[in-house]
Amino acid sequence: MLTKIAFAVLALGAIALPHAAEAKSARCYINTHGYFGCSFRSLGADGSFLIRGGDVAGFSMIMMDSGFASGFERFGSRNVPLAGTFVRDGGDPACWNNPELGMKVCAW
């Protein structure tokens, strides 16, 4: 009986915990860093992602609503929130623009 309960708890835990996607090689662009080879990791089904590579220690795009996101850049051991809102680029859905910062981020 105890074994069946333990198995049920483990199975529920495996289903309930989200699995992080493996990083994939990509080509990235951040207008403050230029083009660079990067690793791209999905952070969830909502489209949130993390990119790393070149001189970018980490850049996260966290979805707030369809087509809108908050950006975070890693500096040392800190993830720093960036001002303004990123908006999906209508011409290239792999890109995000932040008009307040004049910043563009793409991952293909």
Side-chain angles (χ1 to χ4, degrees):
M1 179 68 168
L2 186 55
T3 304
K4 287 183 181 179
I5 293 172
F7 178 75
V9 169
L10 288 174
L12 284 173
I15 293 169
L17 292 176
H19 297 277
E22 290 186 30
K24 297 179 180 179
S25 294
R27 180 99 174 124
C28 291
Y29 172 79
I30 300 177
N31 64 325
T32 55
H33 298 275
Y35 290 91
F36 57 98
C38 64
S39 68
F40 175 94
R41 181 181 304 261
S42 172
L43 298 178
D46 66 352
S48 298
F49 63 88
L50 166 68
I51 57 174
R52 291 183 177 148
D55 63 350
V56 177
F59 187 95
S60 305
M61 194 73 71
I62 308 300
M63 299 305 122
M64 298 182 328
D65 200 358
S66 181
F68 299 93
S70 292
F72 297 83
E73 192 161 2
R74 187 155 189 91
F75 293 103
S77 62
R78 298 176 349 137
N79 279 321
V80 178
L82 300 174
T85 300
F86 284 83
V87 180
R88 187 179 293 273
D89 188 315
D92 186 346
C95 295
W96 294 82
N97 298 303
N98 182 324
E100 187 173 329
L101 296 177
M103 190 172 198
K104 183 171 189 165
V105 177
C106 303
W108 301 275

